[in-house]
């Protein structure tokens, strides 16, 4: 069995001028614990970066999956015709008045955990189930938010259905991705003139930019489980950051493909002259898009679009991805003449998506009918609860500033009946007793929400979005932005558009693409065709490992002192790989070299620590946490045998060097390694899900 020693706090030793393979303790500061398994050979205080050329792999087609909180979809493009993006086939079912280019992110499993359906089919099938039978089926809705909100995400993290049953999250995500895989491949094959092999498809999956490494790895593992690609071909799958994908697509826009909110000041939902409803131009754009969708084919510019002709080298712009679950902000600078992008400030955002309005509606229902009743209704009548949320979603889309008439939301009959049996009074009585004057009861079985009520539901979420953008614009690196692009499904809301125009319109031009809900999906396809388009990114965190350095009296605290072999060492010092908000160019690498500590050692495990500040010295400082581990498998590379064979010579074993190369400039952190003595690759992996 492999002798795997987990490295704890002071996991590495930096032996100064002595390059021999001495060892250090695995637990700090006590010298009595077991010895650790590695020793670093390159103790450079600041990361040394080297440019590594990227090797392109010839794929025939790129398929992008926009896995959203509220809706999802896919698009693809053949590499021989990269200016043409094919959208997925029109989905069956859907809501009246809503363009069904994407499908709701809903999944239905049978009582024995087998896949049944996804999207509209899942939602409608669940609705048609008998209420008692529905309690045994597993229906998942808006489950992506769980990955964002879970701080200790692992492969064992569970999701809860609306009826209360729990299933491993990785299996739920894999079911959804497998569904997209089957549909996308069938459509690609229908449009391909030649037979495609599995390795000719490059897959792209979108995630919020504010997601940390564990969540990105989680999506990759779900893709492996779903059969999109295999772990042996990781380069066949790209993780795209949602606002980054939107930014890539916005580079291609022509002037007739956008709405410029800055052209006319807006008040109370009307132009200043009162002649035009605020959202009329957007409705026209949506109608234009609806008519074009029968073709499901979009053409993009081969270079950059007209909009960029107004921008000079060095101009800055913000992309705000306002989605269902999160709002993601990224700040880019376009680099002329090549048209590549440079990130100017680390991605920021939070859970300020349109789901916040849904939660506000649920909170309002709890105030009227009681939180205990709502929870009981969700558990006992889960399908009826889904019906109610669908009804609210449809009306939410029609909310607009300056709207005078009330919005009617149908209450399911089972809600009215269940409340009367549960509380012994009618829904109408509950409304009267709640003293919520801006909500009335209709004899047709509807809640009538006044404009004031809708405004109260929207404002907390919209205020969070606007405040976050304002705070970002205050930063020195972001001052002077010329454009703000609003993208994502929530950007369709006239309520959000009006708030953005009134608050931010004086500082920059606010641009909304016509196909705002598909911007990320199209950009993800373009990213898959050319992953080098974002040339420079900013590190979201400080990353490093714990090492030993020579103890310096007066500089290092005495509780960090460790005496070994007659030498004084300071434990737990953070050896930084990269710092938070540091610019890292695509292709740059950080190198460290390590050597096995014992003869016959089969694995080297290096713990990684991170922090959201750079003002740290030790891995035990406040805010520093262990976030992952690098594993170097020496058995497969032959380093174990070589080390054991060389051990008779003494010094030869000590000089065994494993050179590790890490990349922080991509959307995911990557690691490779090589045995310097033999030149053979060492199997290297980085894991953020096993903490």
């Amino acid at each position: 069995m492999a002798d795997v020693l987990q490295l704890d706090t002071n996991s590495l030793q930096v032996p100064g001028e002595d390059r021999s393979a001495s060892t250090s303790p695995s637990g700090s500061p006590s010298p009595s614990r077991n010895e650790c398994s590695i020793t670093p050979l390159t103790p450079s205080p600041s990361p040394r970066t080297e440019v590594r050329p990227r090797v392109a792999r010839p794929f025939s087609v790129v398929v992008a999956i926009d896995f959203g909180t509220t809706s999802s979809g896919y698009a693809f493009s053949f590499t021989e015709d990269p200016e043409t993006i094919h959208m997925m086939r029109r989905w069956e079912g859907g809501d009246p008045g809503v363009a069904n280019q994407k499908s709701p992110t809903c999944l239905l499993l049978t009582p024995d955990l087998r896949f049944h359906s996804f999207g509209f089919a899942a939602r409608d099938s669940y609705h048609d189930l008998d209420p008692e039978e529905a309690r045994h089926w597993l229906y998942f809705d808006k489950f992506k938010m769980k990955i964002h909100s879970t701080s200790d995400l692992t492969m064992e993290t569970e999701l809860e259905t609306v009826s209360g049953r729990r299933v491993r999250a990785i299996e739920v995500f894999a079911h959804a991705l497998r569904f997209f895989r089957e549909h996308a491949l069938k459509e690609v094959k229908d449009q391909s003139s030649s037979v495609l092999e599995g390795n000719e498809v490059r897959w792209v999956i979108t995630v919020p930019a504010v997601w940390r490494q564990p969540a990105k790895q989680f999506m990759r593992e779900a893709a492996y489980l779903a059969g999109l690609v295999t772990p042996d071909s990781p380069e066949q799958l790209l993780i795209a950051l949602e606002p980054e994908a939107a930014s890539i697509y916005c580079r291609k826009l022509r002037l007739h493909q956008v709405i410029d909110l800055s052209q006319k000041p807006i008040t109370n939902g009307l132009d200043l002259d009162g002649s035009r409803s605020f959202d009329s131009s957007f409705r026209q754009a949506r109608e234009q898009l609806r008519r074009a969708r029968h073709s499901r084919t979009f053409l993009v510019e081969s270079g950059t679009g007209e909009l960029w002709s107004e921008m000079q080298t060095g101009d800055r712009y913000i992309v705000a991805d306002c989605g269902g679950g999160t709002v993601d902000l990224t700040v880019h600078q376009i680099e002329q003449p090549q048209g590549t992008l440079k990130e100017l400030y680390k991605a920021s955002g939070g859970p300020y998506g349109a789901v916040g309005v849904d939660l506000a509606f649920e909170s309002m229902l709890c105030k009227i009918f009681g939180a205990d009743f709502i929870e009981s209704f969700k558990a006992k009548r889960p399908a009826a609860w889904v019906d109610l949320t669908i009804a609210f979603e449809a009306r939410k889309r029609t909310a607009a500033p300056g709207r005078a008439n009330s919005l009617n939301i149908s209450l399911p009959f089972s809600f009215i009946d269940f409340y009367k049996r549960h509380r012994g009074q009618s829904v109408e009585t509950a409304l009267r007793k709640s003293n919520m004057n801006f909500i009335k009861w209709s004899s047709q079985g509807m809640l009538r929400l006044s404009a004031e009520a809708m405004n109260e539901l929207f404002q907390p979420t919209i205020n969070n979005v606007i405040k976050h953008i304002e705070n970002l614009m205050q930063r020195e690196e972001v001052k002077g932005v010329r454009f703000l692009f609003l993208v994502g499904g929530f950007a369709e809301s006239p309520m959000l558009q009006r708030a953005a125009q009134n608050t931010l319109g004086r500082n920059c031009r606010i641009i909304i693409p016509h196909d705002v809900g598909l911007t990320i999906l199209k950009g993800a396809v373009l990213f898959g065709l050319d992953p080098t388009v974002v040339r420079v990114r900013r590190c979201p965190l400080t990353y490093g490992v714990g090492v030993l350095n020579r103890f310096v009296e007066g500089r290092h605290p005495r509780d960090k002192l460790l005496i070994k072999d007659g030498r004084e060492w300071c434990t737990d010092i953070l050896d930084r790989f990269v710092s938070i908000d540091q610019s890292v160019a695509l292709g740059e690498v950080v190198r460290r070299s390590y050597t096995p500590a014992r003869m016959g050692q089969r694995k080297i495990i290096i713990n990684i620590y991170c922090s959201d500040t750079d003002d740290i010295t030790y891995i035990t400082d406040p805010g520093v946490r262990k976030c992952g581990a690098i594993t170097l498998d020496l058995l497969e590379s032959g380093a174990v045998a070589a080390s054991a064979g060389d051990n008779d010579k003494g010094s030869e074993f000590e000089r065994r060097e494993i050179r590790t190369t890490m990349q922080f400039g991509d959307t995911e952190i990557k690691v490779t390694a090589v045995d310097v003595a033999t030149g053979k690759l060492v199997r290297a992996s980085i894991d953020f899900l096993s903490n």
Side-chain angles (χ1 to χ4, degrees):
M1 183 177 292
D3 179 18
V4 181
L5 296 182
Q6 291 286 350
L7 298 173
D8 199 3
T9 50
N10 60 308
S11 56
L12 309 177
Q13 176 182 358
V14 179
E17 300 79 22
D18 184 0
R19 307 287 287 223
S20 62
S22 55
T23 59
S24 60
S26 64
S28 169
S30 170
S32 61
R33 300 183 187 177
N34 293 332
E35 290 187 336
C36 81
S37 57
I38 58 176
T39 302
L41 296 180
T42 53
S44 53
S46 59
R48 176 172 57 88
T49 58
E50 298 177 11
V51 177
R52 180 180 63 84
R54 297 176 65 85
V55 179
R57 176 172 176 176
F59 297 98
S60 298
V61 65
V62 170
V63 181
I65 299 173
D66 180 10
F67 200 117
T69 300
T70 56
S71 61
S72 300
Y74 65 84
F76 59 92
S77 179
F78 294 98
T79 54
E80 63 185 17
D81 185 16
E83 281 82 41
T84 303
I85 298 176
H86 305 270
M87 305 304 297
M88 66 187 191
R89 290 195 178 102
R90 180 180 289 278
W91 292 84
E92 299 298 324
D95 303 317
V98 179
N100 301 316
Q101 191 68 59
K102 294 202 290 187
S103 176
T105 309
C106 309
L107 177 74
L108 183 63
L109 302 181
T110 64
D112 58 355
L113 302 182
R114 288 183 294 108
F115 176 83
H116 180 272
S117 51
F118 183 88
F120 289 113
R123 197 183 71 179
D124 296 342
S125 297
Y126 190 61
H127 167 272
D128 293 340
L129 289 171
D130 177 83
E132 190 59 36
E133 186 184 7
R135 295 174 59 186
H136 303 289
W137 287 63
L138 292 84
Y139 181 78
F140 300 90
D141 184 22
K142 300 181 177 71
F143 50 87
K144 180 183 172 185
M145 280 298 288
K146 174 74 173 182
I147 306 305
H148 177 78
S149 59
T150 302
S151 58
D152 55 346
L153 183 66
T154 71
M155 296 287 282
E156 303 303 318
T157 296
E158 292 183 326
L159 293 177
E160 188 172 328
T161 69
V162 292
S163 59
R165 289 185 63 181
R166 303 182 70 85
V167 182
R168 287 175 68 218
I170 193 77
E171 296 175 7
V172 174
F173 278 79
H175 277 305
L177 290 174
R178 193 177 296 115
F179 170 84
F180 280 118
R181 173 185 175 274
E182 293 171 358
H183 277 256
L185 287 182
K186 183 178 186 305
E187 191 167 351
V188 167
K189 289 175 181 176
D190 287 346
Q191 296 202 30
S192 175
S193 58
S194 59
V195 178
L196 289 176
E197 301 295 332
N199 60 3
E200 292 184 79
V201 181
R202 163 168 270 168
W203 296 90
V204 182
I205 299 177
T206 65
V207 302
V210 291
W211 272 17
R212 299 287 170 89
Q213 293 299 321
K216 295 176 185 178
Q217 182 184 338
F218 179 90
M219 290 300 290
R220 177 170 284 277
E221 295 293 342
Y224 291 156
L225 188 59
L228 268 68
V229 300
T230 66
D232 294 331
S233 303
E235 72 284 353
Q236 204 177 335
L237 170 66
L238 297 177
I239 299 296
L241 309 183
E242 288 164 359
E244 216 177 72
S247 180
I248 292 169
Y249 177 67
C250 286
R251 293 161 56 251
K252 303 286 187 178
L253 290 173
R254 300 180 67 86
L255 293 176
H256 72 271
Q257 296 174 310
V258 302
I259 300 168
D260 188 344
L261 295 186
S262 308
Q263 288 178 347
K264 281 193 176 182
I266 305 293
T267 26
N268 297 324
L270 299 172
D271 290 346
L272 283 183
D273 59 9
S275 62
R276 183 174 61 93
S277 172
F278 169 70
D279 61 328
S280 63
S281 62
F282 194 80
R283 285 201 301 269
Q284 291 170 9
R286 281 196 294 190
E287 177 63 17
Q288 204 174 41
L289 179 64
R290 185 189 66 77
R291 291 175 180 173
R293 277 180 174 168
H294 69 275
S295 67
R296 297 181 299 106
T297 301
F298 292 82
L299 300 178
V300 295
E301 294 287 311
S302 57
T304 54
E306 292 172 311
L307 200 57
W308 300 111
S309 65
E310 301 184 31
M311 300 184 73
Q312 301 173 359
T313 300
D315 277 350
R316 306 166 179 182
Y317 65 94
I318 295 175
V319 175
D321 169 25
C322 307
T326 58
V327 168
D328 259 355
L329 305 181
T330 191
V331 187
H332 278 166
Q333 194 173 59
I334 192 164
E335 299 177 312
Q336 303 286 15
Q338 64 270 37
T340 53
L341 300 174
K342 177 181 180 181
E343 189 175 32
L344 297 180
Y345 185 72
K346 64 184 179 65
S348 62
Y352 315 134
V355 169
V357 183
D358 302 339
L359 295 176
F361 176 66
E362 182 177 336
S363 177
M364 183 193 74
L365 292 178
C366 289
K367 289 178 183 177
I368 297 172
F369 303 108
D372 59 332
F373 167 77
I374 295 298
E375 288 305 312
S376 177
F377 181 72
K378 289 164 68 175
K380 301 288 181 60
R381 299 288 186 270
W385 173 254
V386 172
D387 283 349
L388 179 54
T389 60
I390 292 170
F392 175 72
E393 175 68 25
R395 305 310 295 158
K396 180 180 75 174
R397 291 173 180 268
T398 66
R403 180 181 179 127
N405 55 320
S406 299
L407 288 173
N408 294 328
I409 299 172
S410 298
L411 280 183
F413 172 77
S414 58
F415 185 99
I416 300 170
D417 180 65
F418 194 77
Y419 184 77
K420 189 164 188 176
R421 289 195 285 115
H422 194 271
R423 287 283 200 251
Q425 65 180 22
S426 69
V427 166
E428 186 178 3
T429 302
L431 269 171
R432 280 200 308 268
K433 290 182 177 180
S434 70
N435 294 321
M436 290 191 175
N437 298 326
F438 46 72
I439 304 174
K440 305 295 183 183
W441 175 248
S442 163
S443 57
Q444 285 80 32
M446 296 182 180
L447 292 177
R448 291 178 58 83
L449 273 66
S450 67
E452 181 186 358
M454 290 303 292
N455 191 60
E456 189 166 300
L457 295 180
F458 271 87
Q459 280 314 305
T461 299
I462 287 178
N463 288 343
N464 281 331
V465 175
I466 300 300
K467 183 179 179 182
H468 197 80
I469 297 175
E470 282 185 311
N471 290 342
L472 180 63
M473 286 182 166
Q474 298 295 322
R475 302 199 66 91
E476 196 62 38
E477 306 93 320
V478 186
K479 285 182 179 178
V481 293
R482 290 193 58 197
F483 293 90
L484 168 63
F485 290 91
L486 293 182
V487 302
F490 196 22
E492 294 183 10
S493 167
M495 304 284 279
L496 178 59
Q497 293 176 22
R498 194 271 301 269
Q501 171 59 18
N502 286 348
T503 310
L504 307 168
R506 296 177 182 85
N507 301 324
C508 61
R509 288 175 61 183
I510 301 174
I511 306 293
I512 303 177
H514 282 178
D515 51 349
V516 62
L518 303 178
T519 303
I520 293 164
L521 187 50
K522 295 178 183 179
V525 173
L526 297 176
F527 176 69
L529 291 167
D530 180 12
T532 67
V533 63
V534 181
R535 194 185 62 82
V536 178
R537 292 184 175 89
R538 295 280 185 143
C539 296
L541 295 170
T542 295
Y543 289 99
V545 295
V547 301
L548 300 179
N549 274 354
R550 293 288 179 86
F551 188 86
V552 179
E553 194 70 46
R555 181 197 300 175
H556 298 137
R558 297 293 298 178
D559 63 354
K560 298 292 184 186
L561 174 63
L562 173 69
I563 301 177
K564 180 174 176 59
D565 298 331
R567 295 182 177 180
E568 293 186 342
W569 302 96
C570 180
T571 65
D572 298 339
I573 290 179
L574 180 77
D575 174 26
R576 281 175 182 76
F577 292 157
V578 288
S579 297
I580 187 170
D581 206 33
Q582 175 183 333
S583 288
V584 183
L586 195 65
E588 285 186 349
V589 298
V590 177
R591 284 185 172 170
R592 294 290 188 274
S593 290
Y594 305 104
T595 185
R598 298 182 310 278
M599 178 185 70
Q601 185 175 321
R602 299 186 176 188
K603 287 188 178 180
I604 295 176
I605 300 178
I606 309 159
N607 287 338
I608 303 174
Y609 297 85
C610 68
S611 173
D612 57 8
T613 178
D614 198 39
D615 186 22
I616 47 178
T617 305
Y618 305 98
I619 60 174
T620 54
D621 285 349
V624 181
R625 64 188 185 278
K626 177 179 175 288
C627 61
I630 296 173
T631 299
L632 307 177
D633 193 333
L634 307 182
L635 189 61
E636 291 197 8
S637 71
V640 172
S643 295
D646 289 341
N647 194 51
D648 295 336
K649 305 174 185 177
S651 61
E652 286 297 320
F653 168 72
E654 295 176 355
R655 286 197 297 272
R656 178 66 57 188
E657 179 183 351
I658 308 298
R659 183 175 297 160
T660 305
T661 301
M662 290 158 285
Q663 289 180 273
F664 292 88
D666 276 328
T667 57
E668 299 173 274
I669 298 176
K670 300 174 182 177
V671 61
T672 56
V674 64
D675 183 347
V676 175
T678 64
K680 293 183 178 179
L681 289 177
V682 173
R683 179 182 286 271
S685 60
I686 189 164
D687 182 17
F688 293 97
L689 285 175
S690 299
N691 273 338

